[in-house]
Amino acid sequence: MQGNLLIFDLETTGVDKTKDRIIQFAAIVIDTDHHSIIDSYNTYIQPTGNYVISLGAYFKHRITPEFLKDKPYLNEVAPKIIEL
């Protein structure tokens, strides 16, 4: 395999893709030729508007709305995510 490989993980407010939101994005970029990590990025994301973190999601990632209050919004971190 040649080139780079992006591996990412999301944490969300729940599992309903029609209403739940991304609250954490983490990724690494691997150079598959040299088997090394060439970039990484991890950020928490404050959803816009009203939202609820489901109990199931909270028990998985332990992220609370209070923790997200001072975190950037998706539109602020989207350029870095796209750059990856």
Side-chain angles (χ1 to χ4, degrees), residues 51-67:
Y51 69 95
V52 174
I53 297 176
S54 74
L55 195 55
Y58 169 76
F59 281 130
K60 181 180 182 318
H61 52 58
R62 303 285 191 206
I63 299 171
T64 65
E66 293 76 27
F67 175 78

Side-chain angles (χ1 to χ4, degrees), residues 3-84:
N4 298 335
L5 178 65
L6 172 75
I7 301 170
F8 70 94
D9 181 47
L10 303 174
E11 297 301 340
T12 63
T13 59
V15 296
D16 184 338
K17 65 182 179 181
T18 64
K19 69 172 183 160
D20 287 312
R21 318 252 182 89
I22 297 169
I23 56 175
Q24 183 180 15
F25 175 88
I28 59 171
V29 180
I30 299 173
D31 177 335
T32 59
D33 295 329
H34 298 98
H35 306 289
S36 60
I37 296 173
I38 58 173
D39 202 356
S40 64
Y41 185 59
N42 179 43
T43 187
Y44 293 96
I45 300 166
Q46 181 182 175
T48 57
N50 294 327
Y51 69 95
V52 174
I53 297 176
S54 74
L55 195 55
Y58 169 76
F59 281 130
K60 181 180 182 318
H61 52 58
R62 303 285 191 206
I63 299 171
T64 65
E66 293 76 27
F67 175 78
L68 297 172
K69 282 184 179 177
D70 64 344
K71 306 303 184 256
Y73 295 105
L74 183 58
N75 66 339
E76 297 174 273
V77 298
K80 175 62 179 175
I81 293 171
I82 292 167
E83 177 187 317
L84 288 172

